[in-house]
Amino acid sequence: MALATEKLKNDFKLESFRGQQEPILERILVEGQSALAVLPTGSGKSLCYQLPALLLDGLTLVISPLIALMKDQVDALERKGVPAARLDSSLSLEEYQQTWSRIESGKLKLLYVAPERLNMEGFMAKIARVKIALLAVDESHCVSEWGDAFRPEYLKIARFAEENSCKRVLCLTATATPSVAKDICKAFSIDTEHGIFRTSSYRHNLHLRVQSVEDDYDGSKRIELVRKHLRANPGPSIVYLTTQKHTEQVARELSNGQLSVKHYHAGMPQDERKATQEWFMASENAVVCATIAFGMRTTLTINTANIRNVIHFNPPKTIEGYSQEVGRGGRDGQPSQCVLLLFAGDRVLLENFARGNTPSRDSVRSFLKEICTQAVLDDVNRKDAVLEINTYQVGKDHDIRDVTLSLLFAQLELKFGYMRSITPIYSVFQYKILDASSFQSGAKGDKSPEAQAIFRHAKFGKIWYDVDVAAASRTSDLARQGIVHKIETWSNAGWIELKKSQRRNRYLMFKPLPHPEKEEAAVFAIADQVYERMHERETAEVKRLESVLDWARAPICLAKGLTAHFGDAEEQFPANTTCGVCSVCTNGGKAAITYSFTPPAFDEQAFKGVLAATPIRDDPRFLARVAFGITSPRTGTERLNRDDAFGSMGEQVWDEVLKRCEAECKKAGPSASGPLKRKSTADCESGSAAKKTKPVSRTGSSTRGSYSRRR
């Protein structure tokens, strides 16, 4: 450890280790063992793999989900003289080749990649020849299928570690419950007794408060509460909201002569997001109304230590998320007010989001039958063949969202062992000429077969040229990769701007899929297992939401209840001690809220409007999505997103609406339901039924304002 301490001072310009850094480094460097580090954001997790990278013989490979985070860290390391690099889609061909040259020569010590790169056979073939001294897995809670942020690509990291004989693995996360920590340790064979290092994410300068707000469907009461709070407690502040539209709406309402407010969400252009972050970090009293996307960058969490208020306008979906979000407050050690405004109607909104990702059983069955059919028709239903899937079209045909589709394929790959994801390809390339002179002399003057094939298949629109690379390869009898390499060379030279579309995922087959006709029962048996797994995930997500509400309305010290969720209450709060500053402690040990929710009567008129808006009766969950305003590939195809019926039942109870939708589909009979019997509005015989109809004006509980209907 003496050499590690020397490196800490000389290379990282730090005088001493802090928190759990030293025992973690001893576990990695001295004992040569794997570890799980559960440390809050800003506590120095990165040093726990950056420093060993300089001391270990071989490459330290870092798996990180955020390109911006990777870039920030690599830039910071290069300024310190640490040999680090990243591999991502933003690199030019020359930069990519230079990085691999440094890796193969042993000059590079740290390499950052996204988990999706483990699907690329070129990367996998090259990295297999490299000695990996340490595998660091950032955001490792994503490996737990029952955690709050599961990503299927993370399950493949454990397989990668095993296949590449990674002796040391360091998993890092800011939050992990005992059960999630157990999942991580099981995936990477980490000793649960000696290999887990945990620091509580709770800090005593965070003053937690929950306030109940009654009958606030339009959000006006909460807006006024937030306005008063920010006036009384000035300083940099974050107001978290659930939806992108609401960040803009609430920011407009809060803007006045006394508050400086902007909004932030992932749907904004990148330059606008960056400008908002820089404005926030530079201002003394900036207020940002944001989705959870705000704060997921190292520059914000490191440089903005003086956040005085973290306000949740809507309840968070999980306690893990809440803990991370309030943890962005008060990093300077000064008090930070963390206020959760709890409106009973928001529970319905959040549950609907949880329910919206799960497709119907019939959708899963028809999806799998189509995949099996395509394998047979394309003659790739055999070992070592490659199956190509247009996932956009598949999702559209079966009304399955992208995130859910990735889970379906992950189960076929990891649970059933039928296939393995390999490098995806794009069918259509679009280019726009940036440097006409260089393009004319360089590209137009290129007489190679690949260049000529591109020009023969380039179709000009108003600004962009479209090139069907698959057609160019097929008709010219040229390798697709050679054509792609040629057009990418022009882009790397700066002659053109290049865009890719119509992605096709590729899967190397390990064993044949069941025959869609001869073995239909086997197809449906697999589909049913997959569906049940997804339904269990939906139930778990709803339970996580319930745990947030249970914590918020319990007459127990909020801080103590929070740490108990993560299994470190004893460390933070010995027996008979509390935080003394939360809303429960200052209310004499009583919960400061009166959370209650009485489901509204079923809105028959609104339901009639939903049925009139779409005559489709083959999928009850599709009808439910229309009723609740939950977007999906099919709602977009049917152009329902702007219909008045879309989201008209947003305040209703999911189970009741779904039950009525199931009854309507059953009433329509088997001709309108079942696998591979999709029927669009255009296919319906009745012109009047297909006509978009504005539903009858609603009365009662579901007409209480527009706020809860804006999804």
Side-chain angles (χ1 to χ4, degrees):
M1 287 299 291
L3 188 55
T5 303
E6 182 182 333
K7 284 286 184 184
L8 179 75
K9 295 178 179 179
N10 295 338
D11 293 78
F12 293 92
K13 311 303 179 187
L14 298 171
E15 288 301 316
S16 62
F17 296 110
R18 52 193 176 108
Q20 295 274 17
Q21 287 177 336
E22 190 166 10
I24 292 170
L25 289 168
E26 188 169 343
R27 175 81 175 171
I28 298 295
L29 293 171
V30 179
E31 300 174 19
Q33 298 294 317
S34 298
L36 165 62
V38 186
L39 310 177
T41 303
S43 61
K45 290 192 294 292
S46 301
L47 184 76
C48 296
Y49 59 80
Q50 290 174 351
L51 194 151
L54 300 179
L55 298 173
L56 295 171
D57 179 25
L59 179 72
T60 291
L61 180 64
V62 184
I63 311 291
S64 176
L66 296 171
I67 290 179
L69 184 145
M70 290 192 280
K71 186 178 187 305
D72 283 349
Q73 294 206 357
V74 169
D75 289 347
L77 288 167
E78 287 180 333
R79 287 193 294 270
K80 292 183 175 76
V82 177
R86 58 192 168 86
L87 286 178
D88 60 57
S89 56
S90 69
L91 298 183
S92 68
L93 179 62
E94 183 180 3
E95 290 171 324
Y96 180 86
Q97 291 172 338
Q98 287 176 349
T99 299
W100 269 113
S101 178
R102 294 171 67 195
I103 294 170
E104 291 166 346
S105 67
K107 294 179 180 178
L108 193 73
K109 299 300 293 180
L110 263 164
L111 177 67
Y112 289 77
V113 300
E116 288 76 15
R117 192 154 292 270
L118 303 187
N119 291 332
M120 300 183 179
E121 63 262 47
F123 172 81
M124 293 292 283
K126 287 185 175 182
I127 204 69
R129 300 193 293 267
V130 177
K131 180 181 179 180
I132 299 175
L134 174 64
L135 175 66
V137 185
D138 199 13
E139 306 292 342
S140 61
H141 57 276
C142 296
V143 80
S144 175
E145 192 169 353
W146 306 108
D148 70 312
F150 170 64
R151 291 177 55 169
E153 297 303 329
Y154 264 76
L155 290 177
K156 301 175 187 179
I157 302 175
R159 181 178 65 186
F160 170 85
E162 182 179 352
E163 291 176 349
N164 289 271
S165 302
C166 298
K167 182 181 177 182
R168 304 176 187 87
V169 179
L170 175 59
C171 294
L172 306 115
T173 178
T175 56
T177 63
S179 62
V180 169
K182 184 178 178 181
D183 285 348
I184 297 170
C185 290
K186 181 180 179 181
F188 293 98
S189 301
I190 298 171
D191 180 2
T192 55
E193 185 176 353
H194 302 104
I196 300 178
F197 301 85
R198 182 187 290 273
T199 298
S200 175
S201 58
Y202 170 72
R203 302 191 311 279
H204 289 277
N205 64 315
L206 301 180
H207 296 182
L208 309 182
R209 183 157 66 87
V210 176
Q211 183 171 350
S212 181
V213 184
E214 302 295 332
D215 194 26
D216 190 37
Y217 284 89
D218 64 358
S220 59
K221 291 183 179 180
R222 278 169 290 174
I223 289 171
E224 187 56 32
L225 286 171
V226 172
R227 182 182 286 116
K228 289 180 179 178
H229 177 87
L230 293 175
R231 286 174 178 169
N233 300 274
S237 305
I238 306 174
V239 181
Y240 280 113
L241 297 105
T242 300
T243 68
Q244 295 180 2
K245 283 186 177 180
H246 290 154
T247 66
E248 300 176 19
Q249 176 189 347
V250 174
R252 284 195 303 269
E253 294 288 341
L254 290 176
S255 296
N256 56 44
Q258 294 175 288
L259 293 175
S260 178
V261 188
K262 291 183 182 291
H263 69 272
Y264 182 101
H265 57 71
M268 296 165 58
Q270 185 174 353
D271 57 342
E272 289 185 25
R273 296 201 305 271
K274 183 178 180 181
T276 299
Q277 284 210 95
E278 291 174 349
W279 163 82
F280 183 79
M281 290 187 289
S283 304
E284 292 184 1
N285 290 297
V287 178
V288 63
C289 295
T291 61
I292 59 173
F294 189 72
M296 297 177 69
R297 298 291 185 269
T298 54
T299 51
L300 175 66
T301 54
I302 291 173
N303 297 335
T304 311
N306 64 332
I307 295 175
R308 298 277 67 90
N309 301 287
V310 179
I311 300 174
H312 283 81
F313 196 95
N314 308 111
K317 293 186 288 185
T318 66
I319 289 181
E320 291 84 348
Y322 175 80
S323 178
Q324 280 195 303
E325 288 144 29
V326 298
R328 292 174 184 134
R331 293 201 172 277
D332 56 1
Q334 298 302 309
S336 181
Q337 305 299 317
C338 304
V339 182
L340 167 58
L341 300 176
L342 196 60
F343 166 58
D346 279 347
R347 188 220 178 279
V348 177
L349 170 68
L350 292 170
E351 181 178 345
N352 292 349
F353 278 127
R355 304 284 192 188
N357 276 330
T358 306
S360 66
R361 187 186 298 271
D362 277 351
S363 284
V364 178
R365 283 184 166 192
S366 62
F367 151 78
L368 185 56
K369 189 169 183 180
E370 180 175 332
I371 300 304
C372 295
T373 300
Q374 184 171 334
V376 171
L377 294 178
D378 293 351
D379 193 29
V380 296
N381 201 24
R382 60 187 185 280
K383 187 178 179 181
D384 296 332
V386 174
L387 177 66
E388 291 186 9
I389 302 291
N390 184 333
T391 51
Y392 169 78
Q393 190 62 47
V394 168
K396 184 178 174 182
D397 289 345
H398 303 280
D399 199 31
I400 302 175
R401 288 171 151 188
D402 288 345
V403 63
T404 307
L405 203 59
S406 67
L407 289 172
L408 292 174
F409 279 109
Q411 289 205 50
L412 292 178
E413 179 175 349
L414 297 166
K415 178 178 173 64
F416 295 97
Y418 282 109
M419 56 185 70
R420 181 170 188 153
S421 179
I422 57 177
T423 310
I425 61 173
Y426 294 85
S427 298
V428 175
F429 283 60
Q430 292 178 299
Y431 69 85
K432 176 175 66 176
I433 298 173
L434 299 177
D435 186 339
S437 176
S438 297
F439 183 78
Q440 186 65 33
S441 59
K444 285 291 188 179
D446 190 339
K447 302 302 180 184
S448 68
E450 289 80 9
Q452 296 306 304
I454 291 170
F455 292 128
R456 281 198 302 272
H457 289 81
K459 296 180 180 179
F460 183 64
K462 291 182 179 180
I463 300 176
W464 295 84
Y465 289 86
D466 286 7
V467 181
D468 187 332
V469 173
S473 171
R474 185 173 58 254
T475 60
S476 304
D477 196 25
L478 295 169
R480 178 191 176 280
Q481 188 55 41
I483 296 173
V484 170
H485 177 71
K486 178 64 66 175
I487 199 168
E488 286 181 340
T489 300
W490 300 345
S491 174
N492 293 332
W495 302 343
I496 61 171
E497 180 182 342
L498 187 62
K499 295 195 299 186
K500 305 173 185 178
S501 61
Q502 293 191 24
R503 172 183 168 127
R504 298 183 69 85
N505 284 11
R506 299 166 69 238
Y507 299 91
L508 178 66
M509 301 300 295
F510 283 173
K511 61 182 180 181
L513 289 159
H515 194 283
E517 302 300 335
K518 299 176 183 177
E519 302 171 282
E520 186 179 65
V523 174
F524 288 173
I526 296 169
D528 288 348
Q529 288 185 59
V530 171
Y531 171 77
E532 292 300 335
R533 189 79 168 178
M534 299 189 75
H535 196 268
E536 288 173 12
R537 281 187 51 77
E538 177 188 283
T539 302
E541 192 168 345
V542 173
K543 285 182 178 179
R544 283 194 290 272
L545 169 60
E546 290 288 358
S547 70
V548 174
L549 303 177
D550 289 343
W551 164 78
R553 64 192 174 202
I556 300 170
C557 168
L558 293 174
K560 195 167 187 176
L562 187 68
T563 56
H565 180 79
F566 295 107
D568 51 20
E570 290 297 322
E571 173 192 345
Q572 287 289 322
F573 298 98
N576 302 319
T577 63
T578 61
C579 75
V581 294
C582 74
S583 53
V584 173
C585 290
T586 56
N587 195 37
K590 298 179 181 179
I593 63 169
T594 54
Y595 179 91
S596 62
F597 177 64
T598 302
F602 190 84
D603 194 331
E604 295 288 352
Q605 289 181 316
F607 190 59
K608 288 178 181 178
V610 171
L611 298 179
T614 172
I616 296 171
R617 300 291 184 271
D618 62 359
D619 186 348
R621 278 192 174 253
F622 169 72
L623 281 179
R625 289 193 186 102
V626 175
F628 285 102
I630 301 172
T631 57
S632 71
R634 205 174 185 193
T635 61
T637 300
E638 298 294 329
R639 300 180 180 179
L640 289 163
N641 297 21
R642 295 184 179 180
D643 195 289
D644 285 350
F646 191 73
S648 60
M649 303 187 73
E651 297 153 18
Q652 301 284 303
V653 177
W654 172 273
D655 287 338
E656 188 173 357
V657 174
L658 181 61
K659 185 177 180 180
R660 291 290 296 271
C661 291
E662 288 171 342
E664 289 295 327
C665 290
K666 185 176 182 180
K667 189 191 305 181
S671 62
S673 62
L676 295 177
K677 292 183 180 178
R678 299 290 173 209
K679 187 187 293 184
S680 69
T681 302
D683 295 327
C684 294
E685 295 179 3
S686 172
S688 59
K691 193 175 182 179
K692 296 291 187 275
T693 305
K694 185 174 182 178
V696 179
S697 297
R698 295 173 293 136
T699 58
S701 61
S702 59
T703 61
R704 295 176 181 171
S706 61
Y707 181 87
S708 62
R709 289 180 54 200
R710 295 181 182 176
R711 300 288 177 259

